[in-house]
Every structure is written in structure tokens, then in C-alpha cells.
Amino acid sequence: MAQSNHKILLQSAYILHQRPYRDTSLLLEVFSPHHGRFGMVARGVRGKRSRRRALLQPFVPLSLSWSGRGELVTLTDAEAEGAAPVFAGEVLMSAYYLNELLLYLLHRHDPHPELFTYYRYTLGRLSQLGQSQDPGAGQALQIALRLFEKQLLQEIGYGLVLDHEVEQGEAIDPAASYRFVLGQGPVAQAPTGPAPNVFQGSSLLAFAAHELDDVQTLRDAKRLTRLVLDHYLGGRQLHSRQLLQELQRGFAPNRT
């Protein structure tokens, strides 16, 4: 873990967030596969002669070196591992949404190598969709976001139970309705009208199998992940959601 090492050399990483620090430095929130999320100070990178400032941006695949112990280490070197993806509009806000989820839901210094790999894959997928002329790219973007949310919840210990109900342990019936209990999972529900925490069994099973091509199933997956994520975010408002709503207001429904 970052706080137990004095010098770390050229580790794969992404910048999740940055902000100015003193006159010429930056405070960075970094995500790496074997050191998790941690804070870093990049000294002097805002100076006129610094070549690193353009490199230390979100979504750029990096190799970073640092030194120090504790909650805030010091950047000593930075190299690009590849080209930065090109994002704009809704895709850009979606990428920032991924970063906010990682910022607020990952514990510091908790390694998640599989999540790091999936994050990198999802950024690549968003880049592809942002350049696509396919009219189905918007739906594909939503599928990518839902699958990332599902993977993130699994990685941080809040994995979604989708294939059996949690009281009796019986397999989910595609034709039945289920009430999703936060912190537990689906419970058999007598047929009722629409409710934020009630889902059709067929939607739960499809989400478990990553089969989200059906529009209603995708809507249900979004409703479910929003319900669960908002619970674990503890009322924290995501800036990326607000920006996306402003971007879409007047010409498209909210799809974050």
C-alpha cells in the first residue's frame, strides 16, 4: 500500500481529480491497481516551464513514480502509457461520472486491480462510442455505465444479488415481482403498482447475465443501480450528474 512504501517506481495509474495547491503545485487524487486510491502532491507542475501539467489530467493512462508515506505522497516522475481518449459532451460527463464514483466509494489505499482493469476498459469503450455514428451508441453508452456500476459494487463488497431471493434462497422467477431490500437483495413481492424498489424477475436475471439490450431491462438496471449507489453515497450529490442534466435539458431525457 502507498503509505507503507518510501519510493514507488513507474506504476500504472489514472488521475481521478486535481486541484491547485499553493502557487505552482497540484493536489491529485490517484487510482492505481496495486495502491488503490490515494492523494499525491505534484510540486511545481503549474509553473511556466513545466512539461508535466498537460500530462496530469483525468483519463490519461500514466506511469507514475512517487515517494513518501502517509496520506499524501509526492510525485517524482510521470510518463504517458498511451494516448488520452478523446471525450466530449455526454460521453465526457459519463467519464467524469466514473471518476466521481471511484472518488467517493473507494477507500484510500485499498487495492482493486480487477476494477482498475475494468475502469481502463470502460474508458476505452466510452471513447469508441463517442466517435461512433451508430444511432444505437446512446443505448450502448448506458449499458457500459450500468455494467461498470455493477462491477464497482461487486469490488467494494456491495455486490448485487440478482439470481435468487434472499429470504428463502429460491431462484428468481422471471414472471414474478421482487422488492429490492438495500444491503440484502430481492424479496418476493405481491403484485403491486410501480414502485422505486420493485423489479420484475426477468430484469434481475437479464442484468445478472449482462443482457441489457432490451430497453425496459436497461431502464430497470439503471433504476436499481441508482437506488443502491445513492444509498452508499449517503446523500452526496454527484457534480457530473448535474452537468449531464444541464447538457440534456430541453432536448433529451436524463439518462445518467
Side-chain angles (χ1 to χ4, degrees), residues 128-243:
Q128 293 173 355
L129 293 171
Q131 300 174 53
S132 173
Q133 301 300 316
D134 188 333
Q139 180 173 338
L141 172 62
Q142 295 306 305
I143 293 174
L145 295 178
R146 302 296 80 80
L147 295 181
F148 181 84
E149 292 166 341
K150 183 173 180 286
Q151 181 74 17
L152 172 59
L153 288 167
Q154 182 68 38
E155 284 280 336
I156 63 178
Y158 303 132
L160 299 174
V161 176
L162 300 170
D163 60 352
H164 65 275
E165 69 92 34
V166 294
E167 289 190 338
Q168 303 299 324
E170 296 181 353
I172 294 293
D173 179 353
S177 296
Y178 295 87
R179 177 170 50 89
F180 200 92
V181 179
L182 291 169
Q184 299 181 43
V187 174
Q189 171 82 19
T192 61
N197 64 339
V198 174
F199 300 87
Q200 192 74 11
S202 57
S203 290
L204 298 178
L205 292 173
F207 197 9
H210 293 186
E211 297 173 353
L212 298 178
D213 291 333
D214 176 72
V215 173
Q216 185 57 52
T217 299
L218 183 55
R219 288 174 179 168
D220 287 343
K222 172 187 171 180
R223 189 160 53 89
L224 177 57
T225 57
R226 177 68 64 88
L227 179 74
V228 176
L229 287 169
D230 283 353
H231 172 70
Y232 291 116
L233 285 168
R236 185 188 294 271
Q237 298 298 311
L238 300 184
H239 189 50
S240 56
R241 279 184 185 169
Q242 297 172 351
L243 290 176

Side-chain angles (χ1 to χ4, degrees), residues 9 14 63 72 78 81 90 99 114 188-189 219 224 249:
L9 299 178
Y14 283 94
S63 287
L72 192 65
E81 285 192 341
E90 184 176 357
N99 281 13
E114 292 185 10
Q189 171 82 19
R219 288 174 179 168
L224 177 57
R249 187 173 294 136

Side-chain angles (χ1 to χ4, degrees), residues 6-145:
H6 181 61
K7 293 183 179 180
I8 303 295
L9 299 178
L10 295 177
Q11 297 290 300
S12 294
Y14 283 94
I15 306 300
L16 299 178
H17 185 263
Q18 60 155 259
R19 60 186 176 90
Y21 178 64
R22 296 181 176 172
D23 291 334
T24 62
S25 302
L26 288 172
L27 283 179
L28 308 174
E29 284 289 334
V30 177
F31 180 41
S32 78
H34 302 296
H35 301 270
R37 179 180 70 86
F38 59 96
M40 174 184 289
V41 59
R43 301 189 185 281
V45 297
R46 294 168 58 216
K48 293 181 180 180
R49 297 183 180 180
S50 175
R51 297 180 180 179
R52 289 181 180 170
R53 184 172 185 178
L55 201 61
L56 299 175
Q57 301 293 329
F59 318 126
V60 179
L62 298 169
S63 287
L64 300 181
S65 300
W66 63 88
S67 64
R69 295 186 175 91
E71 288 301 307
L72 192 65
V73 299
T74 300
L75 176 73
T76 57
D77 195 13
E79 300 177 4
E81 285 192 341
V86 178
F87 296 136
E90 184 176 357
V91 174
L92 177 61
M93 291 302 102
S94 297
Y96 275 118
Y97 172 69
L98 302 186
N99 281 13
E100 283 196 288
L101 290 179
L102 295 176
L103 277 171
Y104 299 139
L105 293 175
L106 293 185
H107 293 295
R108 282 185 176 274
H109 310 296
D110 191 2
H112 290 283
E114 292 185 10
L115 181 61
F116 182 90
T117 298
Y118 199 76
Y119 171 75
R120 174 169 283 182
Y121 162 79
T122 303
L123 290 181
R125 182 66 177 139
L126 295 189
S127 181
Q128 293 173 355
L129 293 171
Q131 300 174 53
S132 173
Q133 301 300 316
D134 188 333
Q139 180 173 338
L141 172 62
Q142 295 306 305
I143 293 174
L145 295 178

